[in-house]
Amino acid sequence: MLLVDDLRNALREFARERDWEKFHTPKNLSMALAVEVAELLEHFQWLEGSESLELDAEKLAKVQEEIGDVLIYLVRLSDRLGVDPVYAARQKLEQNKKKYPADVVRGSAKKYHEYGM
Amino acid sequence: MLLVDDLRNALREFARERDWEKFHTPKNLSMALAVEVAELLEHFQWLEGSESLELDAEKLAKVQEEIGDVLIYLVRLSDRLGVDPVYAARQKLEQNKKKYPADVVRGSAKKYHEYGM
Amino acid sequence: MLLVDDLRNALREFARERDWEKFHTPKNLSMALAVEVAELLEHFQWLEGSESLELDAEKLAKVQEEIGDVLIYLVRLSDRLGVDPVYAARQKLEQNKKKYPADVVRGSAKKYHEYGM
Amino acid sequence: MLLVDDLRNALREFARERDWEKFHTPKNLSMALAVEVAELLEHFQWLEGSESLELDAEKLAKVQEEIGDVLIYLVRLSDRLGVDPVYAARQKLEQNKKKYPADVVRGSAKKYHEYGM
């Protein structure tokens, strides 16, 4: 099974072996994360929503690479801050469950984008 | 242990219970991901790199929440595309190891930002 | 008539009067620009493309404010780099005209997103 | 003198001649804008703030191109929404002047990043 902890350790070693730790401030890593997310956006910018669900194999392979880059920088940033990203996501999900109770949200005429997620 | 697979399943259920799946196209999710990453950037934009390593507890708690949001959307996007994000990151890391051999990169006078990661 | 040059001068004075010039490195300003663009994205993230053309007055007013913020940081960043943004855009447009000749592009079956703009 | 209005008209014609108007929804254009801003970020991500003020001629030329791209999409997005971006920026600047009075802000010990701009 592939674990985020193993990825974190591998990234730590990768940076140390190359003497790149000095570049890896949270500020710089947040910028690198934004750059990689934009490379994801680029694949979807001119597609209809429905088209973005039906990528061909070649495009999907590229998108998968960008997803890998995004997770790399997110895990590296989290490590530099001492944050466990999976724990952070679970905590946030629990908050969201309380904030948007399923029965209220589903029954409501309120637009989704006023809820956010 | 907290696993990305469990998070993926929990997010899947969260969306289904609220009838939000229709909004969760890869296109829309990539935008939501970009929005959350920018909320991370916002915490670091006026700080020096060194300051971004020394956040106080209050700010760190906020940053942790944003990291949670980023991972939520990244995992949700990956799920909608049938991609395993941790596998994608491991694959990318292996590529990077070949592309930037530690002994060459460390010994080189070439600037880090010409390598990227 | 409202000119970008006047805006540039007004922003220069605004920063000087508040002693904020020290924060306005191109690096920091590029981050602030990304944050403001994401606030624009946020308004559109869950909308269909066609819906994004038909904003109500309240939402349009908010979007207009975000556009103002984006231009403020773009002009400020350009000023700190000694770049004229309108000249840069005109130059880029001339390049794009050559790169994507109207008669070729229009007649082609090639997808728009393979051209980019 | 180079005017934003002229740029807007040229971009309108550019899109019409190529039959690209159908791709230019505000939603799509906001994504394209985010992609171009990230290409700007990319030039600055590993630099110190002070280094970002001292780009060499080659890098500055590339950054200038990205600034051109950002303005192109911002003007095109504004046009599709019927917004005057320079007017929007002037309005926002007037608001900011009231929100952050120079004498209060300058004299204050409050951190700049708690003000934002």
Side-chain angles (χ1 to χ4, degrees):
Chain A
M1 199 177 323
L2 295 164
L3 296 176
V4 170
D5 285 7
D6 295 340
L7 177 60
R8 181 201 63 205
N9 293 342
L11 292 172
R12 218 183 263 181
E13 194 185 329
F14 181 87
R16 198 180 50 237
E17 284 177 351
R18 282 154 190 79
D19 200 19
W20 282 357
E21 285 155 322
K22 58 179 168 290
F23 298 111
H24 287 188
T25 61
K27 180 180 178 104
N28 288 359
L29 290 165
S30 73
M31 293 177 81
L33 181 61
V35 169
E36 297 302 338
V37 167
E39 292 182 11
L40 257 176
L41 277 187
E42 199 171 1
H43 289 289
F44 299 125
Q45 62 188 341
W46 307 118
L47 302 183
E48 289 297 309
S50 56
E51 292 173 313
S52 74
L53 276 162
E54 297 165 353
L55 305 182
D56 62 34
E58 192 191 353
K59 189 148 189 173
L60 186 57
K62 285 180 192 164
V63 166
Q64 177 167 321
E65 278 203 42
E66 305 301 351
I67 286 174
D69 282 328
V70 174
L71 188 59
I72 281 174
Y73 281 117
L74 183 63
V75 168
R76 186 75 185 125
L77 170 66
S78 300
D79 190 27
R80 294 292 272 169
L81 291 166
V83 165
D84 178 332
V86 184
Y87 174 79
R90 294 304 307 231
Q91 291 282 101
K92 200 62 198 283
L93 179 58
E94 291 313 309
Q95 286 178 35
N96 287 341
K97 282 182 186 170
K98 281 176 200 141
K99 206 167 158 188
Y100 311 115
D103 49 348
V104 177
V105 171
R106 186 193 272 158
S108 165
K110 225 166 169 297
K111 292 244 179 63
Y112 171 71
H113 59 269
E114 294 171 28
Y115 289 117
M117 177 160 114
Chain B
M1 199 177 326
L2 295 164
L3 296 176
V4 169
D5 285 7
D6 296 339
L7 177 61
R8 182 201 62 206
N9 293 342
L11 291 172
R12 215 182 265 181
E13 194 185 330
F14 181 86
R16 198 180 50 237
E17 285 177 351
R18 282 155 189 79
D19 200 21
W20 283 356
E21 285 154 323
K22 59 180 167 292
F23 299 111
H24 288 188
T25 61
K27 181 181 177 102
N28 288 359
L29 290 164
S30 74
M31 293 178 80
L33 181 61
V35 169
E36 297 302 338
V37 167
E39 292 183 9
L40 257 177
L41 277 187
E42 199 171 2
H43 289 289
F44 299 124
Q45 63 188 339
W46 307 117
L47 302 183
E48 288 297 308
S50 56
E51 291 173 314
S52 74
L53 276 163
E54 298 165 353
L55 305 182
D56 62 34
E58 193 191 352
K59 189 147 188 174
L60 186 57
K62 285 180 192 164
V63 166
Q64 178 166 321
E65 279 202 40
E66 305 300 352
I67 286 174
D69 282 328
V70 173
L71 187 58
I72 281 174
Y73 280 118
L74 183 63
V75 168
R76 186 76 185 124
L77 169 66
S78 300
D79 189 28
R80 295 292 273 170
L81 290 165
V83 166
D84 178 332
V86 183
Y87 174 79
R90 294 305 307 231
Q91 290 282 102
K92 201 61 198 285
L93 179 58
E94 291 313 308
Q95 286 179 33
N96 287 342
K97 282 182 186 171
K98 281 176 201 141
K99 206 169 160 188
Y100 311 116
D103 50 346
V104 176
V105 172
R106 186 193 272 159
S108 165
K110 225 167 167 296
K111 292 244 179 64
Y112 171 71
H113 59 268
E114 294 170 29
Y115 289 117
M117 178 161 113
Chain C
M1 199 178 322
L2 295 163
L3 296 176
V4 169
D5 285 8
D6 296 339
L7 177 61
R8 182 201 62 206
N9 294 342
L11 291 171
R12 215 182 265 180
E13 194 185 328
F14 180 86
R16 199 181 47 237
E17 285 177 350
R18 281 154 190 79
D19 200 20
W20 282 357
E21 285 154 323
K22 58 180 168 290
F23 299 111
H24 288 188
T25 61
K27 181 181 178 104
N28 288 359
L29 290 165
S30 74
M31 293 178 80
L33 181 61
V35 169
E36 296 302 337
V37 167
E39 292 183 10
L40 256 177
L41 277 187
E42 199 171 1
H43 289 288
F44 299 124
Q45 64 188 339
W46 306 117
L47 302 184
E48 289 297 309
S50 56
E51 291 173 313
S52 74
L53 276 162
E54 298 164 354
L55 306 183
D56 62 34
E58 193 191 353
K59 190 148 189 174
L60 186 57
K62 285 180 191 164
V63 166
Q64 177 166 320
E65 278 203 40
E66 306 299 352
I67 286 174
D69 282 328
V70 173
L71 187 58
I72 281 175
Y73 281 117
L74 183 64
V75 168
R76 186 77 185 124
L77 170 65
S78 301
D79 189 28
R80 295 292 272 170
L81 291 165
V83 166
D84 178 332
V86 184
Y87 174 79
R90 295 303 307 230
Q91 290 282 101
K92 200 62 198 286
L93 179 58
E94 291 313 308
Q95 286 179 33
N96 287 341
K97 282 182 185 170
K98 280 176 200 141
K99 206 169 160 188
Y100 311 115
D103 50 348
V104 176
V105 171
R106 185 193 272 159
S108 165
K110 224 168 169 295
K111 292 244 178 64
Y112 171 70
H113 59 269
E114 293 171 28
Y115 288 118
M117 176 161 114
Chain D
M1 198 178 325
L2 295 163
L3 296 177
V4 170
D5 285 7
D6 295 339
L7 177 61
R8 182 201 61 205
N9 293 342
L11 291 172
R12 218 183 261 181
E13 195 185 328
F14 181 87
R16 198 180 49 236
E17 284 177 351
R18 281 153 190 81
D19 200 20
W20 283 357
E21 285 154 323
K22 57 180 169 289
F23 298 111
H24 287 188
T25 61
K27 180 180 177 103
N28 288 359
L29 291 165
S30 74
M31 293 177 80
L33 181 61
V35 169
E36 297 302 338
V37 166
E39 292 182 11
L40 257 177
L41 277 186
E42 199 170 1
H43 288 288
F44 299 123
Q45 62 188 341
W46 307 117
L47 302 183
E48 289 296 310
S50 56
E51 291 173 313
S52 74
L53 276 162
E54 298 165 353
L55 306 182
D56 62 32
E58 192 191 352
K59 190 149 188 173
L60 186 58
K62 286 181 191 163
V63 166
Q64 177 166 321
E65 278 203 40
E66 306 301 351
I67 286 174
D69 282 328
V70 173
L71 187 58
I72 281 175
Y73 281 118
L74 183 63
V75 168
R76 186 77 184 123
L77 170 65
S78 300
D79 190 27
R80 294 293 272 169
L81 291 165
V83 166
D84 178 332
V86 184
Y87 174 78
R90 294 303 308 230
Q91 291 281 102
K92 200 61 198 284
L93 180 57
E94 292 312 308
Q95 286 178 34
N96 287 341
K97 282 182 187 171
K98 280 176 201 141
K99 205 168 159 188
Y100 311 116
D103 49 348
V104 177
V105 171
R106 187 194 270 160
S108 165
K110 225 167 169 295
K111 292 244 180 61
Y112 171 72
H113 59 269
E114 294 171 28
Y115 289 117
M117 179 162 114

